[in-house]
């Protein structure tokens, strides 16, 4: 997994405008991959980022790249806590919630819809999706929007722009460390 993959898939999180990203990469050697993850975490820990492989299966790994301080902030919202509590999470401890999410992903065949809360999606949109993923959708972009379409569209535009800017800057020689905002 190279820096270009992270920039392409995670620029909004690297830029400090998104809580986290979830993505899948191929993984033939788990030990080597875990070594790469440790190296990434060493490189960018002082920028406030953490990478966790949360599920391995059939030569693939699902990775969660996030900003723990943002997740803690997001999980301090009462509505977010309510959803997490209903889903059986230790909602008052964001680090424990990440471990519990990983456990849910490994055990359950269904993808846990509350995962949007771990990515910084608006709680009203996550709840809308959980209630009925087809009913009441106002727009589909980085997530399905059920509540504030205008705000979501502005956010989607920021995500697209930062990804374009970061990709171009990296192509022109900027390193991942230079592009990652401390937070």
């Amino acid at each position: 997994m190279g820096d270009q993959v992270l920039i392409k898939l995670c620029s909004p999180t690297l830029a400090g405008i998104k809580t986290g990203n979830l993505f899948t990469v191929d993984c033939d050697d788990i030990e080597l991959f875990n070594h790469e993850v440790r190296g990434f975490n060493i490189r960018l820990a002082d920028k406030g980022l953490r990478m966790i492989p949360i599920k391995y299966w059939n030569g693939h790994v699902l990775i969660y790249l996030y900003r723990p301080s943002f997740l803690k902030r997001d999980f301090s919202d009462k509505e977010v806590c309510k959803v997490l509590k209903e889903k059986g999470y230790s909602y008052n401890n964001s680090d424990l919630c990440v471990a519990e999410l990983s456990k849910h992903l490994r055990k359950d065949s269904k993808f846990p819809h509350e995962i949007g809360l771990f990515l910084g999606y608006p709680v009203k949109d996550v709840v809308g999706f959980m209630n009925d993923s087809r009913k009441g959708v106002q727009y589909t972009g980085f997530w399905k929007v059920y509540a504030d379409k205008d705000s979501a569209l502005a956010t989607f535009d920021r995500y697209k722009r930062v990804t374009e800017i970061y990709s171009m800057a990296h192509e022109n020689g900027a390193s991942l460390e230079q592009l990652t905002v401390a937070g």
Side-chain angles (χ1 to χ4, degrees):
M1 174 182 56
D3 290 358
Q4 184 61 38
V5 170
L6 294 174
I7 290 166
K8 178 182 176 187
L9 300 175
C10 304
S11 287
T13 300
L14 298 171
I17 61 173
K18 189 171 189 290
T19 299
N21 285 91
L22 197 63
F23 60 98
T24 302
V25 294
D26 294 336
C27 175
D28 296 326
D29 184 337
I30 292 173
E31 188 175 317
L32 177 62
F33 184 79
N34 286 335
H35 179 73
E36 285 182 47
V37 168
R38 282 190 296 278
F40 173 84
N41 283 324
I42 290 167
R43 286 171 60 197
L44 295 177
D46 65 328
K47 301 280 188 162
L49 284 169
R50 185 177 299 158
M51 179 184 288
I52 298 177
I54 57 174
K55 181 180 180 180
Y56 294 96
W57 79 103
N58 300 331
H60 305 288
V61 59
L62 182 63
I63 302 167
Y64 180 42
L65 175 69
Y66 72 110
R67 292 184 173 269
S69 64
F70 286 25
L71 189 65
K72 186 175 183 178
R73 175 204 63 204
D74 294 352
F75 284 11
S76 69
D77 179 274
K78 289 179 183 179
E79 290 300 312
V80 171
C81 288
K82 180 181 174 189
V83 172
L84 291 171
K85 184 178 179 182
E86 289 171 358
K87 291 295 184 176
Y89 289 86
S90 302
Y91 59 92
N92 56 357
N93 182 326
S94 58
D95 291 332
L96 188 53
C97 284
V98 173
E100 291 167 344
L101 173 65
S102 179
K103 188 176 178 181
H104 284 273
L105 286 163
R106 287 191 314 266
K107 284 182 14 179
D108 302 334
S109 61
K110 295 180 182 178
F111 209 73
H113 298 313
E114 68 274 8
I115 203 160
L117 299 173
F118 291 80
L119 303 174
Y121 298 169
V123 66
K124 289 182 180 181
D125 292 336
V126 173
V127 169
F129 187 83
M130 289 169 65
N131 289 337
D132 186 340
S133 65
R134 298 163 303 211
K135 189 176 179 181
V137 177
Q138 295 179 21
Y139 189 83
T140 300
F142 286 88
W143 67 83
K144 287 188 177 185
V145 179
Y146 296 84
D148 189 347
K149 180 181 172 185
D150 291 337
S151 177
L153 290 173
T155 299
F156 296 163
D157 186 53
R158 285 187 12 232
Y159 290 177
K160 289 176 194 171
R161 280 186 299 163
V162 78
T163 301
E164 291 168 1
I165 291 167
Y166 272 43
S167 292
M168 186 174 293
H170 190 256
E171 287 173 16
N172 289 324
S175 70
L176 182 65
E177 289 84 354
Q178 291 170 321
L179 293 171
T180 303
V181 173

